[in-house]
Every structure is written in structure tokens, then in C-alpha cells.
Amino acid sequence: MRRSICFLSVAALLATAASADDRPRARDLGIAPGVLQPGPLNAITDVAGVRVGQVTLQDGESVNTGVTVVIPALGNLYQRKVPAAVYVANGYGKLAGSTQVQELGEIEAPIVLTNTLNVAEGVAAVVEWTLAQPGNEAVRSVNAVVGETNDGFLNDIRARTVTTAHVTGAIDSAVSGPVAEGTVGAGTGSVAFGFKGGIGTSSRRLPDTLGGFTVGVLVQSNYGGMLTMNGVEVGRALGRYFLKDALDDASADGSIMIVVATDAPLSDRNLKRLAKRAVNGLARTGAAMTNGSGDYVIAFSSSDEVRRLNEAPVETRSDLNNAAMSPLFQAVAEATEEAIYNSLLRASSVSGHRGTIEALPLNAVRELLDESR
């Protein structure tokens, strides 16, 4: 029999995060990677049309998991697909639907993030939700894109707590606006660099002279290495890092899911190039990318100029010139780095299934950053 689970909509999550945990974002500590400015929310939802929904599941120490959903654009995604690409830096993980994205270069449904053993529920929910949308009565195939990280330390992952109803709830609650970060949604049970990881987001907006495009990133951080913030080796100073005292490789295993959104009119080919550069931001945080780490990037464009219509046998689409891509490459690296910092800084300590994971100690981080300035 399933336990009674705390089922929170995105609105409830925002209220909970604000009242129960006043932990800062990166910019509150003076951490502002790069040279480009963020959008108004400094979140993936700064990209027009993008919505995020989350469901957090917590029950005692045994259940710490959840669902985070990114809806790439407005309208019927199946009938008006968005160009997309997947880049795999290390493939130790499960990203359902990735081969069709690689083959056709498009996404036709909400993107779901959850835990490793509930990917199947994510797929089933997306299929059911898509088939139920008006206009999809004749649909016979749905490519659900569902990614994961393993939250089995803080969460009794074998209980497979996430249901299709939880996933559908996250989809239905998805909104534009501020995004809850830290110990929420699919990041509820995640661990990064030995500290509490979670959901994080950030964005960058190019100046008008470079097109004025926005790049937004959302991460589910659950990986290891030696945490580095603003170039400061925070993990080393705090005595918690990969290979300390010749630790087993498993100390840095884990995964990260990185979702990249942009309103720049990009083809799937240039989205693949953009996705690759997100790994630059990941590397700056000190990621080890070990054998057992799944490091995935999903990138898409929400621009109306590149939406793909099912009924059009031949289409003429815009595509940003290759030479114009470099500022976007810079933007995605900066936003990825900051999103990861936000996932750590906003996360709270959790006592879970197999032990307690402490949040990143804020006072110590402040001192280390102050000393480096």
C-alpha cells in the first residue's frame, strides 16, 4: 500500500520555498558568472512560452523525490513541434525518447525529469496527457522525453513512489514566472558534490546588437567532483571532494540533467551545438564526469519562426547564421554554471532513507568567496 504523500503544485512550492527556507541564490552572494546579463527572472521561464511545473513528494525519511516538468512552448506541441537536440557528455543514465530527438531533431511533448526508477511513469503520463489534448484524436505515436537522476540515498527509490498522476499534476500546474529551486520537484532527493543538490535555473539575454535573444537553463544536479564557485575551490576548502584520501570512484558518481531553452530561431543542428556548450558551464563547477555519471543536455527553441507543422509537407524556416552562434554559446555556459550554483545554494538539508545530506554551509562559502576577492 502506498503511503500518504505530500503533493504540492508549483504555486504551493513557491510559497513553501519562500516561507520555510530563506537561502540565497548565487547573485545574493555576489556570484554572477560571465559578462552577459540575466533576464528579469534569471530563470528558464525568461524564454517566452516556456513553463515549469513541479511536484514534491516527501514523507518521513523514506520518501524524498518528485517531478519537474518543462513545457517548451505554447499551444499543441504535437501539432506544432519545436526543434530540439540532445547532447550526451557521458551516457550512464536513462533519457527516454532521446533517439527520436536525435533522428528527427524535434520535441512534441512536455519534458519530464524524475528519479531513475520512475522514468516509466513519466513516459506513461506524457503519452496519456498528449493523447488527451484537443486535436490529437488521430495520434498513434508519442515520443515522451523523460530524464532522471538517481536519488536512492535520500529516497527509498525501490518503492517507486512517483505515479502518473504526479507527473500529470506537474504538467497541469506548469506556469511561466519564478521557478522554485533547491529541494523541490525532481531535485528533492538529489546530492551534488556531497552536499544537497536540487533544481536550479538561470538565464542570459543577449544585447540588442547581438539579436536580443534569451537563453534559459534548468538543471537537476546530482553529481560529483570538486565544487568550484567563481573559480574558488570550495569543495577542497570544505574537505569534501572526489578522490580525497583516495576515495572510491563511486563518491563522485551521479548525474545531471540540463534543459536549455532559447527564443533564438535555431535548427536542430545549431541546437546540438548549443547543447554541447552547456557542458562548459558544467565543467566550471568542478564536475568530475566519472564513469557512473550521466551528463545529459536537452536543448530546444521556442521561436514561432521554427515551429514545425504536422500538415506542412514542405516548410521554409529561419535559422540563425552559424557566425551568430558564438554569443549564444557564451550565454548557455554562463547560465548553466549559475543554475548549478542556485541548485546548491537554494537547497536545504534533508534526513533521508539512508542518511542525512547537509546543505552547502552558507557562512563558510561566503568567507571563502570574500577571501578570494
Side-chain angles (χ1 to χ4, degrees), residues 178-232:
V179 177
E181 298 172 295
T183 308
V184 295
T188 302
S190 64
V191 181
F193 299 103
F195 300 101
K196 184 67 188 72
I199 297 296
T201 189
S202 184
S203 69
R204 293 295 185 274
R205 186 183 185 278
L206 300 187
D208 291 340
T209 53
L210 295 175
F213 302 117
T214 298
V215 174
V217 173
L218 182 142
V219 302
Q220 177 190 16
S221 64
N222 190 60
Y223 65 100
M226 182 168 65
L227 176 61
T228 303
M229 305 178 79
N230 256 19
V232 179

Side-chain angles (χ1 to χ4, degrees), residues 5-8 55-59 63-67 155 161-163 166 185 188:
I5 301 298
C6 178
F7 187 150
L8 297 179
V55 166
T56 296
L57 304 176
Q58 291 185 294
D59 185 20
V63 177
N64 290 287
T65 192
V67 180
N155 176 52
T161 302
V162 175
T163 67
H166 295 136
T188 302

Side-chain angles (χ1 to χ4, degrees), residues 61-64 151-157 350-355:
E61 294 187 345
S62 61
V63 177
N64 290 287
D151 57 16
F153 185 84
L154 291 174
N155 176 52
D156 181 6
I157 195 168
V350 172
S351 293
H353 181 55
R354 294 195 289 157

Side-chain angles (χ1 to χ4, degrees), residues 109-291:
I111 299 165
V112 174
L113 306 179
T114 188
N115 73 65
T116 304
L117 296 189
N118 281 125
V119 170
E121 284 69 29
V123 171
V126 170
V127 169
E128 292 171 4
W129 184 88
T130 301
L131 293 178
Q133 299 308 298
N136 291 351
E137 291 79 9
V139 171
R140 297 290 181 268
S141 173
V142 177
N143 188 50
V145 177
V146 181
E148 54 80 27
T149 67
N150 194 307
D151 57 16
F153 185 84
L154 291 174
N155 176 52
D156 181 6
I157 195 168
R158 289 171 60 92
R160 300 184 65 249
T161 302
V162 175
T163 67
T164 57
H166 295 136
V167 180
T168 302
I171 296 173
D172 290 339
S173 69
V175 293
S176 58
V179 177
E181 298 172 295
T183 308
V184 295
T188 302
S190 64
V191 181
F193 299 103
F195 300 101
K196 184 67 188 72
I199 297 296
T201 189
S202 184
S203 69
R204 293 295 185 274
R205 186 183 185 278
L206 300 187
D208 291 340
T209 53
L210 295 175
F213 302 117
T214 298
V215 174
V217 173
L218 182 142
V219 302
Q220 177 190 16
S221 64
N222 190 60
Y223 65 100
M226 182 168 65
L227 176 61
T228 303
M229 305 178 79
N230 256 19
V232 179
E233 293 181 339
V234 171
R236 182 192 293 273
L238 297 179
R240 194 172 299 181
Y241 54 90
F242 177 48
L243 296 182
K244 179 178 183 290
D245 301 325
L247 291 175
D248 186 89
D249 284 357
S251 64
D253 285 347
S255 297
I256 183 168
M257 294 296 307
I258 303 171
V259 180
V260 176
T262 185
D263 57 6
L266 301 185
S267 65
D268 53 278
R269 179 183 59 82
N270 268 330
L271 284 165
K272 180 68 168 283
R273 300 177 70 210
L274 185 69
K276 290 179 180 179
R277 271 63 177 195
V279 178
N280 289 343
L282 173 63
R284 292 170 190 170
T285 68
M289 295 189 197
T290 61
N291 175 72

Side-chain angles (χ1 to χ4, degrees), residues 94-112:
K94 294 84 189 161
L95 179 54
S98 61
T99 56
Q100 185 166 317
V101 176
Q102 291 172 329
E103 183 71 18
L104 302 183
E106 58 195 26
I107 284 176
E108 60 191 28
I111 299 165
V112 174

Side-chain angles (χ1 to χ4, degrees), residues 17-90:
S19 61
D21 187 10
D22 197 27
R23 291 177 63 86
R25 302 187 82 193
R27 288 178 181 254
D28 298 326
L29 299 183
I31 305 172
V35 296
L36 297 170
Q37 293 300 307
L41 299 172
N42 195 11
I44 193 171
T45 46
D46 284 323
V47 178
V50 175
R51 290 163 288 160
V52 174
Q54 304 194 73
V55 166
T56 296
L57 304 176
Q58 291 185 294
D59 185 20
E61 294 187 345
S62 61
V63 177
N64 290 287
T65 192
V67 180
T68 298
V69 168
V70 178
I71 301 183
L74 300 175
N76 189 317
L77 288 167
Y78 190 91
Q79 301 299 331
R80 299 184 66 228
K81 298 171 172 60
V82 298
V86 168
Y87 178 67
V88 182
N90 192 64

